[in-house]
């Protein structure tokens, strides 16, 4: 993650020549923001941060506040690992080794974990669950569509952190006897569905919602060519329905690795030209973005309107030996 802005701890205010009244005045003026009791950050820097960056700061602030060693888990561990998750309003999450049902205190939700099979990693100065435990916990305790996102991510190598891909066999093995039977079923279902071909968190979430809405499974990263050569690769392709689906995340028009030397406006024009060439091949093209995914039913309505077929029910399947 990009270097976090420095935190100012109230107990260190004298080192900066500040009194308690000085801090209170700066908070009232907006020059500083109180992240949690006794911990502050520069106001303009805070307001310029994305929600997931602010969440990472909250984790750091919690770590600074606690005197005893604290192991961060679930969404908080994922944030430190830079594993994408869905949602911006998760509490800071940590483990407790006392089997008292877990507890929440000072803005931190604590979850029980047995010492056996618990692997703790020191990362960026924090203690976190290892990658496998982190994504398995998310699969165990998150809705299916959200659980798929981090699983898809770890099935691919992480070049930024120089981490190898995790295999499905490693994920299966990592479950051990940690989870209840119900949680194990949820994890297995998410692992089975996970696919490293999803190119982003938005595509992963889309694919899970598509599955939950009982649409035909799309082909991911389908190559398209015409008489002029390669057109490109689609996010989703339903061959039988002749529909191409494209998820428009903001990174497609903002991040350099996606722009490939183009300006944002040039990228928009290039994408429109690419869409026109795909349409000329006889495919309908439907697009959606983060806002569509956040409103239940919106993606389903768009795909239905575009003509994407639904999966057949068991009673509708007919084979050569069992004809009507």
């Amino acid at each position: 993650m990009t270097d976090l802005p420095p935190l100012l701890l109230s107990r260190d205010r004298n080192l900066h020549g500040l009194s308690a009244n000085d801090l209170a005045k700066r908070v009232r003026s907006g020059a500083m923001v109180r992240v949690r009791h006794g911990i502050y950050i520069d106001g303009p820097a805070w307001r310029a941060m994305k929600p997931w960056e602010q969440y990472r700061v909250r984790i750091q602030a919690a770590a600074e506040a606690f005197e005893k060693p604290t192991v961060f888990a679930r969404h908080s561990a994922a944030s430190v690992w830079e594993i994408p998750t869905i949602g911006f309003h998760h509490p800071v999450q940590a483990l407790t080794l006392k089997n008292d049902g877990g507890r929440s205190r000072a803005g931190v939700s604590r979850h029980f974990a047995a010492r056996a099979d618990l692997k703790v990693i020191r990362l960026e100065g924090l203690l976190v669950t290892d990658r496998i435990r982190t994504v398995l916990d998310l699969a165990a305790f998150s809705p299916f569509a959200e659980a798929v996102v981090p699983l898809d991510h770890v099935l691919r190598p992480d070049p930024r952190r120089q981490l190898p891909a995790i295999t499905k066999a490693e994920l299966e093995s990592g479950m051990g006897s940690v989870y209840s039977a119900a949680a194990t079923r949820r994890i297995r279902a998410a692992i089975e569905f996970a696919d490293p071909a999803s190119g982003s968190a938005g595509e992963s979430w889309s694919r899970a919602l598509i599955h939950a809405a009982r649409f035909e499974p799309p082909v991911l990263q389908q190559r398209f060519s015409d008489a002029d050569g390669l057109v490109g690769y689609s996010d989703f392709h339903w061959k039988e329905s002749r529909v191409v689906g494209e998820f428009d995340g903001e990174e497609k028009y903002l991040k350099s690795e996606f722009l490939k030397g183009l300006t944002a406006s040039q990228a928009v024009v290039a994408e429109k030209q690419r869409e026109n060439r795909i349409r000329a091949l006889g495919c309908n093209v439907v697009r959606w973005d983060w806002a569509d995914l956040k409103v239940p039913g919106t993606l389903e309505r768009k795909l239905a309107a575009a003509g994407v077929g639904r999966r057949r029910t068991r009673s509708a399947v007919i084979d050569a030996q069992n004809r009507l």
Side-chain angles (χ1 to χ4, degrees):
M1 173 168 287
T2 304
D3 290 340
L4 299 174
L7 297 175
L8 193 156
L9 280 59
S10 180
R11 63 177 179 263
D12 295 334
R13 65 180 183 272
N14 292 333
L15 299 178
H16 302 276
L18 297 172
S19 66
N21 285 336
D22 292 331
L23 287 177
K25 289 178 181 178
R26 293 191 180 192
V27 170
R28 287 195 296 270
S29 70
M32 301 197 77
V33 170
R34 193 180 78 163
V35 181
R36 62 181 293 123
H37 179 72
I39 300 179
Y40 304 81
I41 192 172
D42 178 74
W46 173 263
R47 289 185 286 274
M49 299 174 81
K50 300 291 188 182
W52 55 89
E53 294 171 330
Q54 293 179 346
Y55 181 62
R56 177 64 181 82
V57 169
R58 289 169 52 210
I59 298 166
Q60 191 72 31
E64 294 285 1
F66 295 139
E67 296 180 359
K68 295 182 179 180
T70 300
V71 179
F72 294 97
R74 302 191 186 185
H75 292 89
S76 296
S79 175
V80 180
W81 281 109
E82 296 186 28
I83 297 172
T85 59
I86 300 301
F88 299 138
H89 304 295
H90 303 291
V92 175
Q93 295 165 311
L95 299 182
T96 176
L97 301 180
K98 295 181 179 180
N99 193 4
D100 56 3
R103 55 185 176 179
S104 296
R105 182 173 60 85
V108 176
S109 293
R110 295 186 179 269
H111 310 280
F112 170 72
R115 292 180 184 274
D117 301 321
L118 179 62
K119 295 181 181 179
V120 177
I121 306 295
R122 187 181 298 277
L123 184 65
E124 297 186 1
L126 304 176
L127 299 178
V128 297
T129 51
D130 70 295
R131 285 199 299 161
I132 290 178
R133 178 62 179 266
T134 297
V135 297
L136 291 180
D137 279 354
L138 290 171
F141 304 111
S142 300
F144 172 82
E146 296 180 14
V148 168
V149 175
L151 287 171
D152 279 0
H153 177 83
V154 300
L155 290 177
R156 303 187 298 269
D158 185 340
R160 174 175 166 76
R161 290 192 177 273
Q162 298 182 329
L163 295 171
I166 296 173
T167 67
K168 289 192 176 185
E170 289 174 313
L171 292 171
E172 292 270 359
S173 177
M175 285 191 291
S177 59
V178 173
Y179 303 98
S180 68
T184 297
R185 288 193 295 271
R186 290 194 294 271
I187 295 171
R188 290 190 188 280
I191 291 175
E192 181 180 0
F193 184 75
D195 191 331
S198 281
S200 68
E203 290 178 33
S204 295
W205 195 18
S206 298
R207 188 169 57 85
L209 293 174
I210 289 166
H211 177 75
R214 302 194 61 78
F215 287 105
E216 287 284 347
V219 174
L220 307 182
Q221 312 305 325
Q222 175 67 53
R223 176 189 173 102
F224 284 90
S225 299
D226 60 15
D228 294 325
L230 176 66
V231 176
Y233 294 83
S234 66
D235 295 338
F236 307 92
H237 178 224
W238 290 271
K239 183 176 181 180
E240 186 174 327
S241 302
R242 300 189 67 79
V243 176
V244 164
E246 295 289 335
F247 170 73
D248 288 329
E250 65 176 21
E251 64 271 9
K252 184 177 289 188
Y253 305 110
L254 293 178
K255 292 189 176 181
S256 58
E257 60 263 38
F258 293 93
L259 291 173
K260 298 178 181 179
L262 301 176
T263 65
S265 59
Q266 289 171 332
V268 171
V269 172
E271 183 66 17
K272 181 60 177 176
Q273 293 172 340
R274 171 178 168 276
E275 179 178 323
N276 289 339
R277 291 172 69 185
I278 290 176
R279 290 185 184 278
L281 293 171
C283 291
N284 189 11
V285 178
V286 57
R287 314 188 77 95
W288 61 89
D289 56 22
W290 282 110
D292 296 318
L293 297 182
K294 293 175 183 177
V295 180
T298 299
L299 177 59
E300 182 176 0
R301 290 191 291 273
K302 283 196 169 195
L303 296 181
V308 177
R310 306 273 184 167
R311 297 198 304 276
R312 288 187 289 272
T313 61
R314 291 181 181 178
S315 62
V317 176
I318 304 173
D319 57 29
Q321 287 78 38
N322 186 26
R323 295 180 180 276
L324 286 177

